Amino acid sequence: MIQHLDMADYKQMLWKNGAGYTIELARSDGDSLDTFDWRISMADVKTSGDFSKFNGMQRILTVLEGAGIVLNIDDDSEHLKTLESAQFSGDSTTSCELSDGPIRDFNLIYHPEKWCSHYQWVCEPTSTEIFSSANLIFIFNQSPEPLEIEVDRQVFCLAHQQSLKIEQQKALKKLVLKSERFKQACLIELTKI
């Protein structure tokens, strides 16, 4: 099944700690923030503060817009600028400090005992071919330029912050990602363990 998702398909919800809002792009089954196996979202971070805990989960966070953040994870800190990512445990005590004003970030949260993940940003200006047999293939276009994706001879055109969600059972898919000028696309592949 292939779905072309845009802002009308995404769902806005309160953070688990109630301190802000998340825009949920997609998630596995589950009705609450404690029962999903994977979730892909964006969040607007307007103030420095603590992150919600997601015990037993693995997290990957990327800064999409803004000057960046200092991410404090347990006893370490990491400065993330635009399109830089950090991976950390949902069990960790995590907080952030804004570098210079609000940011928007992009997040994958998944259960590492149930899913194996491959998370990458594709930023080359040339046409990119990808072969994947993952159960879930998710492509998010952060570029202001349209992103054209060809999947099994079907062509989809993603505008800024639109997504393509491909769910399948053990099939090898060829994807071709093309953009006229430059790409800023996140490719997430999740495979059941």
Side-chain angles (χ1 to χ4, degrees):
M1 185 172 71
I2 302 177
Q3 291 175 280
H4 182 173
L5 306 172
D6 63 20
M7 283 294 181
D9 300 301
Y10 303 157
K11 188 162 63 172
Q12 188 177 58
M13 57 180 59
L14 262 176
W15 289 352
K16 206 173 171 189
N17 66 12
Y21 283 92
T22 288
I23 301 164
E24 185 178 84
L25 282 62
R27 80 151 118 168
S28 65
D29 295 336
D31 295 326
S32 81
L33 292 179
D34 293 313
T35 57
F36 62 84
D37 285 343
W38 59 263
R39 178 187 189 213
I40 299 163
S41 64
M42 291 186 289
D44 292 314
V45 182
K46 296 177 181 175
T47 58
S48 300
D50 294 334
F51 279 34
S52 305
K53 281 206 173 192
F54 287 89
N55 292 327
M57 305 296 258
Q58 192 68 23
R59 301 185 67 168
I60 304 174
L61 177 146
T62 303
V63 174
L64 290 182
E65 299 167 3
I69 56 171
V70 176
L71 198 58
N72 301 305
I73 305 163
D74 294 327
D75 297 324
D76 291 324
S77 62
E78 199 171 334
H79 186 216
L80 298 181
K81 296 179 183 169
T82 307
L83 293 190
E84 291 183 342
S85 305
Q87 182 164 335
F88 54 100
S89 168
D91 296 89
S92 293
T93 300
T94 309
S95 65
C96 79
E97 296 161 37
L98 297 174
S99 300
D100 184 16
I103 62 130
R104 172 170 277 191
D105 62 30
F106 182 79
N107 302 274
L108 168 65
I109 303 175
Y110 68 97
H111 199 305
E113 291 177 8
K114 296 180 181 179
W115 295 88
C116 180
S117 88
H118 185 248
Y119 179 102
Q120 67 174 319
W121 282 86
V122 182
C123 298
E124 313 88 52
T126 56
S127 178
T128 306
E129 281 190 7
I130 294 155
F131 293 88
S132 178
S133 57
N135 297 99
L136 175 81
I137 304 166
F138 193 90
I139 302 164
F140 172 80
N141 181 30
Q142 174 57 14
S143 172
E145 302 291 323
L147 177 67
E148 189 178 284
I149 303 170
E150 186 180 328
V151 187
D152 296 343
R153 296 193 202 98
Q154 281 182 276
V155 177
F156 301 88
C157 190
L158 303 188
H160 178 62
Q161 293 191 342
Q162 290 185 346
S163 308
L164 198 66
K165 179 184 172 193
I166 304 165
E167 291 182 279
Q168 61 177 9
Q169 294 294 324
K170 299 204 185 285
L172 183 65
K173 285 247 185 300
K174 177 185 175 184
L175 300 97
V176 182
L177 281 59
K178 299 178 195 166
S179 184
E180 290 287 317
R181 292 176 56 207
F182 61 94
K183 289 199 287 287
Q184 288 180 340
C186 187
L187 171 67
I188 296 171
E189 296 168 89
L190 291 173
T191 305
K192 282 182 184 170
I193 293 173

